[in-house]
Amino acid sequence: MSRPVSPPPPHLPAALAGAVRADLAERFTRSEVEDVLGPVATAALGRDEPVAARRATAASPEPAAVLTRLFMLGVPVTRAELDAALPRTTTAGATAVGLVTAAGEAGDDEVRATVDLRPYEASDAAGEARWWVASDLGELATGASLHADHVLGIGGASLTLARITVRDRRPLVLDLGTGCGVQALHASRHADAVVGTDVSRRALGFAAFNAALAGVALELREGSLLEPVRGERFDLVVSNPPFVITPPAAHAAGLPVMEYRDGALPGDSLVRDLVAGVGAHLAPGGVAQLLGNWEHHAGEDWRERVSAWLAAAGTDGWVVQREVQDPAEYAHTWLRDGGLRPGTALFDAALSAWLDDFAARGVDGVGFGYLTLRRPADDARAPWHRVEEVDAPVHRALGGHVAEVLAAQEWLATHDDTALAGSRPVVAADVTEERYLRPGEPDPLVLQLRQGAGFGRTVRPGTLVAGAVGACDGELTLGQIVGGLAVLLDQPADVVAAEVLPAVRDLLLDGFLRLP
């Protein structure tokens, strides 16, 4: 399959950065794009359906419409239109930095985008973020297959990682496999220094451009996985690595292989090796947060497989599996991502190669999720491991929740039940209690606690635990609450404590209760 030649990444000199940034801030924000598109076209574009967006912006002279057509939809505009949309930068400046190509100097000459450029906004514990992120144009804009060194923009995986990342102060941060640099940009708001690495020189070029446009200083290094940071330690490592499980035959047969997603190692060994190796690069108390795939093998619990990875890492580990795909669905998803069309001979050949590879290794499913590792401040204590399945999608910032869970776990690991009984837990503000009763009956058939934030968990506590939670207002110690319940229910205090204290530990770890 022939692949287009990769254009060079854009380059933004300091002398032009201010002008480009000012033009975009005035005319190309997310709200302005949504206004010119309207809700229908905005939703359709989010599903990679460009027709409604093209119709909504066609022939509009509004700067946001012109820039949306040019950079997000790949529709040519005239030099006069671009000069009006970017008055400080002008077409000449946009051409000089590598954002567009222009045919000539006349006002009606056609101007084409060479990159995808779009506004990006986020809000989390580190504050508000507003940037513009450049990447390679996608298939919707070019109508052509992606080149092997395609630099991906902000997709679903990037958003997921950004939303789950802890945002407390972290002096030194590593963005491993930085791509276009969006995770590094996020980290720059709560770090003293950020290092971004990537095997792709083109990706580092885009990351440098995006950092210059944002006015952010990044240290960018070329190399594979942890090689560029050998011997160094970080307070936070974030990574959206090339975790897609691609059959070795794909490389040999010339089937689509993409740098940003295909790690060229068999099975899920790239994620396994990264989990095993990243702990050595964490400072005491340092956290690593990764996305990954792992195989489900016939006759083996996937939890045992991933737990073995955590044991090899020698750190605390928390793995959340969000979804599972069967082999055919998984292969179909990533072949379509690579630009192949179902029903073509190449698609069928590639699908057969993937299914043969999975069958040869007894793979009956592929899981996707998040891996959080932490090096304990005290290496003397035993590592904590938690491997679970939570199928709720991530639509909000969860970094604060992850940080609270890690803090709760550290406290619980270093405090016995006597200390727990002396604590004064409080119910988290997002937690509600639900009761389900039959009409006319005074006692509920079902009582459950529900999180409004975090992973949106629900638990069904027993009578004793429900009574204890209801009394957790920060005024009484947990021991006093246990004693009160023992008197009220005429039960021995040690019996009540035996049920309540372990349950409170779980509720603290899940974020239903918090320690002030």
Side-chain angles (χ1 to χ4, degrees):
M1 183 179 185
S2 62
R3 294 274 165 178
V5 176
S6 304
H11 172 68
L12 187 59
L16 287 176
V20 178
R21 192 183 309 124
D23 278 343
L24 297 177
E26 290 180 5
R27 297 167 175 83
F28 196 41
T29 64
R30 190 173 72 176
S31 62
E32 286 170 317
V33 171
E34 291 174 351
D35 286 346
V36 299
L37 290 178
V40 172
T42 296
L45 195 56
R47 300 188 299 268
D48 290 334
E49 299 169 4
V51 174
R54 290 174 188 150
R55 290 168 60 90
T57 59
S60 171
E62 292 295 320
V66 171
L67 298 174
T68 298
R69 287 202 306 275
L70 178 65
F71 291 119
M72 296 175 63
L73 301 174
V75 177
V77 301
T78 67
R79 178 183 290 268
E81 286 175 323
L82 187 56
D83 284 342
L86 300 177
R88 298 177 182 86
T89 308
T90 72
T91 302
T95 303
V97 302
L99 294 177
V100 301
T101 58
E105 298 181 0
D108 291 332
D109 281 341
E110 188 174 82
V111 178
R112 291 183 175 273
T114 57
V115 302
D116 181 293
L117 179 69
R118 60 187 63 205
Y120 172 72
E121 296 178 13
S123 178
D124 53 33
E128 302 293 323
R130 187 175 79 167
W131 302 301
W132 294 266
V133 176
S135 61
D136 275 324
L137 289 164
E139 289 178 275
L140 289 180
T142 65
S145 298
L146 305 181
H147 38 87
D149 58 355
H150 179 85
V151 177
L152 196 66
I154 299 172
S158 298
L159 292 173
T160 294
L161 181 57
R163 288 167 180 160
I164 66 171
T165 300
V166 297
R167 297 297 176 199
D168 53 347
R169 193 70 190 168
R170 298 277 165 172
L172 184 57
V173 177
L174 169 65
D175 178 10
L176 189 155
T178 190
C180 68
V182 65
Q183 307 302 332
L185 292 180
H186 271 287
S188 69
R189 298 171 303 143
H190 60 106
D192 296 329
V194 180
V195 176
T197 67
D198 207 289
V199 71
S200 167
R201 188 170 298 178
R202 293 190 72 252
L204 294 174
F206 274 102
F209 175 89
N210 291 327
L213 185 55
V216 169
L218 302 178
E219 182 181 343
L220 300 173
R221 305 179 190 174
E222 184 179 353
S224 179
L225 298 177
L226 293 164
E227 290 176 1
V229 293
R230 186 177 288 112
E232 297 180 64
R233 289 192 170 192
F234 298 86
D235 303 291
L236 174 65
V237 177
V238 294
S239 182
N240 178 14
F243 56 74
V244 175
I245 300 169
T246 308
H251 300 266
L255 297 174
V257 176
M258 316 298 294
E259 275 187 347
Y260 71 82
R261 65 170 207 196
D262 300 310
L265 293 179
D268 53 16
S269 57
L270 184 142
V271 178
R272 179 201 64 196
D273 293 349
L274 182 56
V275 169
V278 75
H281 293 273
L282 294 177
V287 173
Q289 294 184 270
L290 325 171
L291 301 182
N293 278 153
W294 40 85
E295 296 179 341
H296 289 217
H297 288 196
E300 177 189 48
D301 189 330
W302 72 270
R303 295 171 184 81
E304 295 178 1
R305 181 179 184 81
V306 176
S307 293
W309 298 357
L310 299 181
T315 63
D316 291 338
W318 178 18
V319 178
V320 176
Q321 178 171 273
R322 198 187 81 180
E323 64 177 313
V324 181
Q325 292 181 303
D326 64 55
E329 181 185 15
Y330 182 83
H332 187 281
T333 296
W334 290 109
L335 290 173
R336 288 287 294 110
D337 176 82
L340 297 191
R341 296 290 181 265
T344 64
L346 187 57
F347 184 94
D348 291 347
L351 182 59
S352 292
W354 285 52
L355 295 181
D356 286 346
D357 180 59
F358 284 140
R361 289 180 290 106
V363 176
D364 58 16
V366 179
F368 167 78
Y370 335 121
L371 305 96
T372 299
L373 309 176
R374 178 183 57 185
R375 175 164 297 286
D378 179 7
D379 277 336
R381 73 163 173 80
W384 163 75
H385 295 160
R386 182 177 190 177
V387 181
E388 61 180 335
E389 189 163 7
V390 181
D391 58 8
V394 178
H395 294 311
R396 55 179 174 261
L398 285 178
H401 175 69
V402 172
E404 289 170 356
V405 169
L406 294 178
Q409 188 280 325
E410 184 69 28
W411 191 92
L412 291 168
T414 55
H415 290 78
D416 60 14
D417 281 351
T418 300
L420 181 62
S423 69
R424 301 175 188 270
V426 296
V427 178
D430 62 289
V431 172
T432 56
E433 181 182 276
E434 300 174 351
R435 296 171 180 252
Y436 297 88
L437 304 89
R438 292 185 62 81
E441 294 187 2
D443 297 322
L445 295 173
V446 176
L447 185 152
Q448 65 185 22
L449 304 176
R450 182 183 298 276
Q451 278 182 327
F455 283 110
R457 301 178 191 268
T458 59
V459 296
R460 293 186 176 180
T463 301
L464 284 175
V465 176
V469 171
C472 286
D473 58 4
E475 295 295 323
L476 301 175
T477 68
L478 188 56
Q480 290 172 324
I481 293 172
V482 166
L485 286 172
V487 172
L488 182 64
L489 300 175
D490 193 24
Q491 293 192 31
D494 59 343
V495 172
V496 176
E499 181 174 341
V500 169
L501 293 184
V504 167
R505 284 183 174 272
D506 289 341
L507 292 170
L508 284 167
L509 195 58
D510 284 340
F512 287 88
L513 295 176
R514 293 175 181 166
L515 294 174

